[in-house]
Amino acid sequence: MSDAIRLAARLDKVGASQTQQVLVAVEQLQRQGVEVIDLGAGEPDFPTPDHVKTAAAAAIQDNFTKYTAGAGITELRAAIASHYAERYGVTYDTTGVVVTSGGKQALYNIAVALFGPGDEVITHVPGWPSIVEQVHLAGAEPVLVRTSAEDGFELRAEPVLDAVTPRTRGIVINSPGNPTGALMREPELERLADGIAERDIWVILDLCYEQLIYDDTPHNLPRVLWDRLADRTVLVGTASKSYAMTGWRCGWLLAPAAVAAGCNTVQSHSTSHATSITQRAALAALTGPQACVDTMRDQYRVRRDVMLAWLDADARFRVTRPAGAFYLFPDVSELLSPDGLRTSAQLVQALLTEAHVAVTPGEAFDAPGFIRLSYAAPMEQLREAWKRIQRFLG
Ligand code: GLU
């Protein structure tokens, strides 16, 4: 017998999250005393709003520190249902809502509950890597539809419908998308939903950046699905991005009751439920004053526009204007050459070790030749980062 450690075969196709690896690399350099500017991590730089922290502290004081129902406390599930009813006009009761430890766990629960060997699940790239890997972990086969920079990375109905086969079981759409910030347009989703109307295909709509949309584009995607495919739609959301709560780990899903129950079964054998304290905090976030969300969004918008102007003025970067999220995703192929930095991953490594600016390589999103810059950082840091990048590129 060999001494080599053998992991389960399901991990053969699955790599560790590359978006999280950037966090680790930054932390390592910071521990060595290097002053890194971090435009890598996809998380708000703002502190969690005070009223949310107060609610969490009160939960601890009240000894609200025991197990809760697996799907989450009823008040929070009701608040989540109200949020989607008010914003999008879609109605779920609490039996259709499951609170999870982050949007990522919501997507994972769904993948395990709905997909398995022999199934194909369509999603779009450049895209967030965990979606594809979760499909692998569920034993199903991801099918990738590529969006293009020329088209602003917008997901169109046509290529998705072309990718549908008799084995297709699901379509996962992330809008606004990470890393591109692109929105799917309502008419495109209408065409897509109509095109699969007679099919047994689930549409999973990952709305993690739903409150970070900067332009006036109509974006009631939940309603488009609700009107056409309510019984085959699953919505995913999170407190992480809207309320600057990434570390609290709170997400959720809304689905037909049987699917919600299936997702709850998966969760009941892994994490049981989201942390009780976090659930109280998320309840305060969703039901408390929303001005904090507007304030953060306004600042992201200003930063997006400033950074876009910088990148637009430098012909070596070709960048599209993102409608949402907090990333810019420029094509950097002009900066690559066979006898210099050959790949965007090498460029990112050099930026980190030589310019001390962390960004995420396009390779993480199945898009070599691009880099992702997060503008969830204070303006002075963005300015300093751009100065360092310019100095490094000489
Ligand atoms: N969603 C964030 C990102 O894309 C966090 C990292 C992760 O959880 O994958 O950077």
Side-chain angles (χ1 to χ4, degrees), residues 261-330:
C263 291
N264 194 22
T265 300
V266 174
Q267 176 159 300
S268 73
H269 296 298
S270 54
T271 55
S272 294
H273 59 77
T275 310
S276 57
I277 301 152
T278 285
Q279 291 188 56
R280 280 277 178 88
L283 180 61
L286 281 166
T287 57
Q290 300 297 300
C292 53
V293 180
D294 300 335
T295 308
M296 290 189 270
R297 182 177 42 240
D298 288 347
Q299 294 199 45
Y300 291 134
R301 184 190 289 107
V302 171
R303 297 168 182 180
R304 176 197 66 165
D305 292 343
V306 168
M307 277 196 86
L308 262 179
W310 293 339
L311 288 164
D312 270 337
D314 185 331
R316 297 169 295 183
F317 293 87
R318 274 174 298 150
V319 66
T320 53
R321 180 189 167 87
F326 39 52
Y327 309 112
L328 293 176
F329 197 59

Side-chain angles (χ1 to χ4, degrees), residues 341-365:
L341 295 165
R342 286 193 309 279
T343 64
S344 40
Q346 287 179 357
L347 170 65
V348 165
Q349 189 56 33
L351 280 174
L352 181 62
T353 52
E354 292 171 41
H356 301 154
V357 176
V359 302
T360 310
E363 282 84 346
F365 311 100

